[in-house]
Amino acid sequence: MKHKNLIGLNPTELEQLMVEMGESRFRADQLLDWIYKKRVSGFDDMTNISKAFRNKLKENFSIGTVSLEKLVSSQDNFTHKFLFRLTDGLCIESVFMIENKRRTVCLSSQVGCALNCDFCATGKMGFKRNLEVAEIVDQLLFISRYFDEDLTNVVIMGMGEPFLNYENVLNACDIISNDRCFAIGKRKITISTSGIIPAIKQFADEDRKYKLAISLNSADNDIRSLLMPVNNKYPVRELINAARYYFNKTRRRVTFEYVLIRGLNDRRMDAEALQKLIHDLPCKINIIPYNETDENYRQSAENAIDDFIQPFLNMNVVISVRRSRGVDINAACGQLSYGVVGKGISETVL
Ligand code: SF4
């Protein structure tokens, strides 16, 4: 019989389970403490729980769902890419980044991705399936256990489109932010979407407190469709209207991610088109120089990056340039699965 995983249960569900098993609710507190605070990986380590109950737990449940297939660390040791194998044999990747006191994990939400963005290595894999709640949370749990570190930030920006696995991703975020689990603040958790408009509106209507990022990449409808076929379904103007709807509803700024690609979307005219598009929308813009995984695209020149941001400096937007971490191990944005395609295992070497 397949063991049920305790990781995908929120504290209330875990309490209910304990009651169904004839135990007190307090048992859930003990389990949560062992799993998320003391970070044990097996029931045998839970020494304040009776042996008889531990055996009962072992017979019916597990507390982990991913296993480590490969770990590659960058030369500076600040970025670590995990290749995890799931119980059905498929693989996903997660990235752990260290920056001063910040400990950030980038999580996957699906195995592969159906959206086929032209600049993205994951898109080339095609879509395999959605991740379960337990599989999303367990990426984080595994990494916090592995490094024995409290994690401070989470970005759901790894493999997959999180808003096409909406319920599982949000349920996982609710566990991650819960004080009895990881207790990571909701504003420290960012969900990044390629622009699934109905889900953006749902996210706004439900007033979820997590941060929202939208992968924009061009203000020009044709260029965006070329880069991101999802734009054919959800065109850029409607997407900006959805972002405006989100702001009006929540008063929180959206972050627009903009991967800067040489000669394609990094010209002054591209910056001005973007400026026009978002001129009345308080927002943040995160410029990400392209990480070269595809021979069709090149990273922008340094002076083009500086030039691009000029029009925004006098606007009501926060603009930043993100220097990607982990480029040497293909752990940077848009590089996940690079080296995995067709093989199942990354052969990335330092
Ligand atoms: S960029 Fe994101 S949405 Fe686009 S193919 Fe890659 S994983 Fe999917």
Side-chain angles (χ1 to χ4, degrees), residues 47 64 70 84 141 160 185 252 263 301 330 334:
T47 48
K70 189 164 179 135
F84 290 123
L141 192 56
R252 288 190 289 274
N330 295 326

Side-chain angles (χ1 to χ4, degrees), residues 110 112-124 157-162 192-194 215 217 227-228 230 334:
Q110 298 181 312
C113 184
L115 297 187
N116 203 18
C117 298
D118 204 43
F119 55 86
C120 172
T122 304
K124 311 261 182 301
M157 242 177 236
M159 285 183 176
E161 165 49 62
S192 175
T193 177
S194 61
S215 184
N217 304 320
L227 289 170
M228 307 179 73
V230 69

Side-chain angles (χ1 to χ4, degrees), residues 31-228:
L31 282 169
L32 291 166
D33 189 55
W34 281 111
I35 295 170
Y36 294 103
K37 310 292 181 197
K38 298 195 176 85
R39 304 187 188 115
V40 300
S41 56
F43 293 112
D44 285 334
D45 298 320
M46 301 178 177
T47 48
N48 62 356
I49 295 178
S50 73
K51 195 158 182 217
F53 189 55
R54 272 188 272 153
N55 285 339
K56 201 165 156 189
L57 288 169
K58 267 200 295 192
E59 278 164 26
N60 297 291
F61 303 103
S62 59
I63 48 172
T65 170
V66 304
S67 56
L68 182 61
E69 188 73 22
K70 189 164 179 135
L71 169 62
V72 187
S73 301
S74 62
Q75 280 160 344
D76 60 14
N77 231 14
F78 289 149
T79 308
H80 306 268
K81 183 169 76 167
F82 289 78
L83 181 70
F84 290 123
R85 195 167 287 281
L86 306 169
T87 48
D88 61 1
L90 293 172
C91 284
I92 51 166
E93 290 179 314
S94 321
V95 182
F96 176 54
M97 291 159 281
I98 299 170
E99 194 180 14
N100 303 320
K101 291 196 170 146
R102 196 187 278 228
R103 302 285 180 272
T104 304
V105 177
C106 174
L107 298 177
S108 291
S109 57
Q110 298 181 312
V111 188
C113 184
L115 297 187
N116 203 18
C117 298
D118 204 43
F119 55 86
C120 172
T122 304
K124 311 261 182 301
M125 287 176 70
F127 174 71
K128 305 280 192 277
R129 69 170 173 86
N130 280 335
L131 291 183
E132 301 290 335
V133 178
E135 291 169 329
I136 299 169
V137 176
D138 200 26
Q139 297 169 59
L140 203 62
L141 192 56
F142 190 103
I143 292 172
S144 69
R145 219 187 265 143
Y146 191 92
F147 287 97
D148 197 17
E149 289 256 24
D150 287 332
L151 304 171
T152 63
N153 296 68
V154 170
V155 291
I156 308 198
M157 242 177 236
M159 285 183 176
E161 165 49 62
F163 275 174
L164 291 181
N165 187 14
Y166 189 91
E167 288 303 324
N168 286 351
V169 165
L170 270 297
N171 287 339
C173 289
D174 290 346
I175 293 175
I176 292 167
S177 59
N178 193 296
D179 283 346
R180 297 160 79 190
C181 303
F182 292 97
I184 296 177
K186 291 191 173 180
R187 302 299 292 156
K188 300 277 174 75
I189 299 173
T190 303
I191 301 175
S192 175
T193 177
S194 61
I196 310 295
I197 290 176
I200 293 171
K201 290 189 172 159
Q202 184 181 350
F203 190 72
D205 290 340
E206 292 172 355
D207 196 22
R208 303 283 192 157
K209 303 280 191 283
Y210 306 109
K211 277 168 109 171
L212 177 65
I214 295 176
S215 184
L216 188 62
N217 304 320
S218 180
D220 180 284
N221 206 51
D222 293 337
I223 296 175
R224 190 166 191 273
S225 289
L226 177 83
L227 289 170
M228 307 179 73

Side-chain angles (χ1 to χ4, degrees), residues 268-295:
R268 182 51 85 100
M269 60 185 265
D270 297 308
E272 285 167 0
L274 178 58
Q275 185 189 27
K276 210 164 144 198
L277 194 66
I278 51 125
H279 74 278
D280 60 347
L281 176 61
C283 62
K284 297 180 191 172
I285 301 173
N286 197 358
I287 302 294
I288 308 161
Y290 177 66
N291 298 306
E292 296 183 2
T293 61
D294 183 317
E295 58 193 26

Side-chain angles (χ1 to χ4, degrees), residues 5 13 26 64 93 114 121 149 166 174 234 270 303 306-307 347:
N5 211 301
E13 290 166 336
F26 173 67
E93 290 179 314
E149 289 256 24
Y166 189 91
D174 290 346
Y234 301 119
D270 297 308
N303 60 349
D306 291 343
D307 231 37
E347 294 192 344

